[in-house]
Amino acid sequence: ETGVTQSPTHLIKTRGQQVTLRCSSQSGHNTVSWYQQALGQGPQFIFQYYREEENGRGNFPPRFSGLQFPNYSSELNVNALELDDSALYLCASSPRGGKDTEAFFGQGTRLTVV
Amino acid sequence: QKEVEQNSGPLSVPEGAIASLNCTYSDRGSQSFFWYRQYSGKSPELIMSIYSNGDKEDGRFTAQLNKASQYVSLLIRDSQPSDSATYLCAVLSGGYNKLIFGAGTRLAVHP
């Protein structure tokens, strides 16, 4: 149990729709990162939020966007869903720190785009 | 060349044996390395972190780091069927602590 919670756990959407995924970070953690994990692959970094601002972004198009709130919780929004967006979306919570910063994942949201 | 490489497996070991999982990385400046365990359909769970050359032991797990060879490994002693999972190697990269993952090695421990 990491203390990182994500909602919903499962979601089915139609191509072209929009989706919002939510994450509550572990107590004391002010940094939230989002990852996409396709079947059979390792998680891929989408972006990171620190103090309500995007603080680094991976190789994902602008239709992937996010927010962080004053309580450090975060949202991932994906517009114009494509079939390839079907994946496990993971939120990782960590304290702001140096090289010994450990990140802990929520249970993930399984998104299926049909 | 992938940034973090792992053998996809499956690695099959008998119960009670030592499982050895390996990982190589391309960024010579990397300083922080992690092993996550992921059961099928679940999210990754952090099991080990290592930052200095050498060995780090935690229970049945030992992480080994060789920065000169850009190599990280995880040893699991006295393997149990409950250790059957995918093990993800991750390297911390960039000024904003982005994790770069390998594709994972699937471990199967058979009775």
Side-chain angles (χ1 to χ4, degrees):
Chain A
E1 192 71 32
T2 63
V4 183
T5 58
Q6 292 186 241
S7 63
T9 55
H10 295 84
L11 202 52
I12 299 175
K13 288 286 191 178
T14 303
R15 188 173 53 182
Q17 285 189 315
Q18 178 265 342
V19 69
T20 297
L21 310 181
R22 294 177 175 83
C23 171
S24 294
S25 61
Q26 183 173 326
S27 178
H29 286 185
N30 53 19
T31 301
V32 172
S33 303
W34 286 92
Y35 292 82
Q36 180 197 66
Q37 187 176 24
L39 205 58
Q41 297 182 22
Q44 299 292 314
F45 177 76
I46 302 175
F47 43 55
Q48 182 181 95
Y49 277 84
Y50 170 66
R51 288 188 175 179
E52 303 176 53
E53 291 194 1
E54 187 179 289
N55 183 45
R57 188 178 184 91
N59 189 26
F60 281 81
R63 58 190 185 84
F64 286 78
S65 63
L67 285 172
Q68 186 179 35
F69 300 98
N71 66 354
Y72 306 130
S73 66
S74 178
E75 287 183 354
L76 164 65
N77 300 289
V78 187
N79 294 320
L81 284 166
E82 300 177 358
L83 297 180
D84 284 349
D85 295 334
S86 295
L88 180 66
Y89 287 85
L90 297 160
C91 165
S93 158
S94 61
R96 184 67 171 178
K99 65 173 187 149
D100 57 351
T101 299
E102 295 178 339
F104 299 91
F105 286 91
Q107 78 274 34
T109 294
R110 173 74 60 186
L111 173 66
T112 302
V113 182
V114 297
Chain B
Q1 181 189 6
K2 292 182 181 177
E3 294 181 89
V4 179
E5 295 207 51
Q6 296 180 254
N7 188 323
S8 62
L11 173 65
S12 182
V13 300
E15 185 174 356
I18 296 175
S20 178
L21 304 161
N22 305 315
C23 169
T24 59
Y25 60 94
S26 61
D27 184 357
R28 189 169 287 278
S30 299
Q31 297 187 59
S32 307
F33 309 87
F34 306 89
W35 284 98
Y36 286 83
R37 176 175 63 198
Q38 187 172 29
Y39 294 111
S40 181
K42 303 296 185 182
S43 65
E45 173 193 7
L46 179 65
I47 54 172
M48 289 289 285
S49 58
I50 187 166
Y51 312 108
S52 303
N53 279 331
D55 295 359
K56 178 181 177 182
E57 186 174 320
D58 184 359
R60 295 187 296 113
F61 298 100
T62 299
Q64 300 175 317
L65 174 60
N66 183 327
K67 292 184 181 179
S69 300
Q70 296 174 245
Y71 177 91
V72 194
S73 66
L74 179 69
L75 301 178
I76 306 174
R77 290 182 299 281
D78 187 24
S79 295
Q80 300 297 309
S82 59
D83 294 326
S84 298
T86 296
Y87 289 80
L88 296 163
C89 173
V91 177
L92 203 61
S93 177
Y96 44 86
N97 294 349
K98 167 178 95 172
L99 285 172
I100 300 176
F101 285 86
T105 298
R106 190 155 54 91
L107 173 66
V109 181
H110 53 86

